[in-house]
Amino acid sequence: MRIALIKGDGIGVDVAEAAMAVVESALQKTGFARPSYDEIHAGAGYFSETGLDIEVDGEHRAEAADAIFLGAIGLPSIRHEDGTEVSPHLRLRDSFGLYAGVRPVKAYPNAPQRLADPRAAGIDLVILRESTEGLFYSAATHKRSLVVNDDEVQDILRITRKTTTKLHQFAFNLARKRRERGRSGKLTCVDKANVFTSLAFFRQLFDEVKANNADIPVGYNYVDAQALDLVRKPWEFDVLVTENMFGDILSDLAGGLVGGMGMAACAEIGDSNGLFQPAHGSAPDIMGQDKANPLAAILSGALMLDYLAEKLDQPDLSDAADLINAAVMSGFQSKALRPMEFGGDMGTRAVTEQVMSAIEEKPRLQSSVGA
């Protein structure tokens, strides 16, 4: 398999390397060959050196790969003249139509829990964020603002039938898969349909898709009420589907409930391409200091393997993803994983080595497909 690897900025370099080491360990355990990598230079650091936010042919090479893995992008000290961040990854989402932003939110034993209610130990939900439209349609990198002058700026919140219908069908399919694995499979549409015509349209399209998915239980919540409910009763939710900006905010809130952004994995999936990355920032203040928590990137690597299992029609790749997920879970259960982010004594390398060690301890699984 061919992976376009964009390490990016700050700790993106550290965690991307950690994730690929774990992915290779899981692949070896299941009988698959090591991936081939096409490393693509991009990010704020690259911009400061070259004036480009990604290599000249970087987008084409990323599109040609089986999957894209991204460490992190952005440096606070390097901005465009208008003050906005260097954001080539937003353009990749847009260019490749990566409409389905999958943000798992899962509580792990012995990881910090911010809620006192014992039910918080069972948090296990997915926020599905539309990733190409909504308010991010007007992200500065796209240059789509309606009005920009010294007196006024107007941005567009865009909802289209084509993209949103695909998003909602993806959401129902995801809810169905989770139901088959023992979760409730309830799908909640999160919007602000009572105020914005665009988001009333978002809900209308949800209802149209719902008509052909009667087996999936559904619910509705306005985004402000959903933010409240993620603090009051997050254990009552399974899959949330929402607009781009709402999903950006809610997924960070939810990440805080289960320890922090160091556990926030992310998949951006379209019809032909998939991009995988930790949802956290580049934290340049700790770059190269062996302090970053690599687990969000490692768990994003597992999401990538699950995606490739379907894309490449090699279902045994999901066994490799399961090995990674099981290694992280068992590591927390046994207190063998103690990231510094959570006040523990383990840096990036130690956490990575522990996950790889747990994978190695599992009985060897031989792929039926082969390398």
Side-chain angles (χ1 to χ4, degrees):
M1 65 196 76
R2 299 166 299 154
I3 308 300
L5 181 60
I6 305 173
K7 296 179 183 178
D9 299 307
I11 63 169
V13 177
D14 307 332
V15 301
E17 291 175 353
M20 293 305 96
V22 171
V23 164
E24 290 179 22
S25 178
L27 288 172
Q28 181 182 22
K29 195 71 174 180
T30 49
F32 284 91
R34 180 178 183 270
S36 64
Y37 299 106
D38 181 4
E39 186 169 349
I40 299 170
H41 297 290
Y46 186 73
F47 176 80
S48 70
E49 296 171 359
T50 66
L52 302 172
D53 61 9
I54 191 169
E55 290 186 68
V56 172
D57 60 347
E59 291 189 33
H60 174 74
R61 287 157 55 195
E63 185 176 19
D66 294 317
I68 307 161
F69 194 91
L70 172 67
I73 293 287
L75 294 171
S77 61
I78 301 173
R79 302 284 176 128
H80 291 294
E81 290 184 4
D82 62 1
T84 57
E85 291 185 351
V86 176
S87 306
H89 54 303
L90 299 185
R91 198 169 59 251
L92 293 180
R93 289 179 192 168
D94 188 73
S95 299
F96 302 156
L98 308 181
Y99 58 87
V102 182
R103 304 287 183 93
V105 181
K106 184 177 179 62
Y108 288 87
N110 300 308
Q113 292 180 14
R114 311 302 181 186
L115 300 179
D117 193 303
R119 288 174 290 184
I123 294 174
D124 184 352
L125 59 92
V126 177
I127 295 174
L128 181 59
R129 165 192 177 186
E130 198 290 311
S131 292
T132 63
E133 298 183 341
L135 194 54
F136 271 73
Y137 177 78
S138 295
T141 190
H142 303 316
K143 304 185 187 307
R144 292 169 176 157
S145 296
L146 286 176
V147 177
V148 181
N149 58 47
D150 286 340
D151 298 312
E152 181 181 358
V153 173
Q154 294 182 16
D155 288 329
I156 304 165
L157 194 163
R158 185 181 197 230
I159 302 293
T160 67
R161 173 176 289 276
K162 179 180 179 181
T163 296
T164 306
T165 298
K166 288 195 294 186
L167 174 77
H168 289 324
Q169 187 57 63
F170 189 102
F172 277 97
N173 291 342
L174 177 60
R176 187 172 292 110
K177 289 177 183 176
R178 286 175 62 83
R179 196 174 192 185
E180 290 170 354
R181 296 174 184 172
R183 297 293 302 167
S184 73
K186 181 180 179 181
L187 175 59
T188 304
C189 180
V190 181
D191 54 48
K192 197 66 176 172
N194 57 329
V195 174
F196 295 100
T197 304
S198 57
L199 294 169
F201 184 49
F202 185 91
R203 182 177 291 203
Q204 173 192 325
L205 295 172
F206 178 85
D207 286 338
E208 290 179 10
V209 176
K210 179 184 71 171
N212 296 318
N213 293 273
D215 58 314
I216 301 301
V218 302
Y220 302 85
N221 223 349
Y222 297 134
V223 65
D224 47 339
Q226 185 63 64
L228 175 63
D229 284 344
L230 280 176
V231 176
R232 290 196 309 165
K233 50 181 181 180
W235 44 84
E236 292 189 5
F237 297 94
D238 197 54
V239 180
L240 311 178
V241 61
T242 192
E243 178 270 340
N244 205 336
M245 176 67 88
F246 294 163
D248 185 32
I249 296 168
L250 291 178
S251 57
D252 278 21
L253 168 61
L257 301 179
V258 294
M261 294 306 291
M263 300 299 297
C266 175
E268 309 278 357
I269 297 173
D271 292 337
S272 303
N273 300 91
L275 184 152
F276 303 84
Q277 64 178 108
H280 58 65
S282 63
D285 56 318
I286 61 170
M287 176 187 179
Q289 298 179 35
D290 194 31
K291 293 181 178 179
N293 181 357
L295 290 172
I298 288 169
L299 292 168
S300 297
L303 291 174
M304 182 178 71
L305 291 174
D306 263 332
Y307 165 80
L308 289 170
E310 185 171 342
K311 179 176 181 175
L312 302 179
D313 193 24
Q314 295 193 34
D316 289 351
L317 284 170
S318 288
D319 292 337
D322 291 343
L323 279 176
I324 295 173
N325 290 323
V328 174
M329 176 58 76
S330 65
F332 276 110
Q333 286 174 332
S334 64
K335 298 185 181 180
L337 284 176
R338 303 177 301 276
M340 287 184 181
E341 181 188 20
F342 301 157
D345 59 350
M346 297 175 70
T348 311
R349 289 190 293 272
V351 169
T352 304
E353 289 167 2
Q354 174 57 41
V355 174
M356 294 172 65
S357 176
I359 290 171
E360 284 301 311
E361 290 172 0
K362 299 288 185 183
R364 181 174 175 83
L365 299 173
Q366 181 63 48
S367 168
S368 62
V369 179

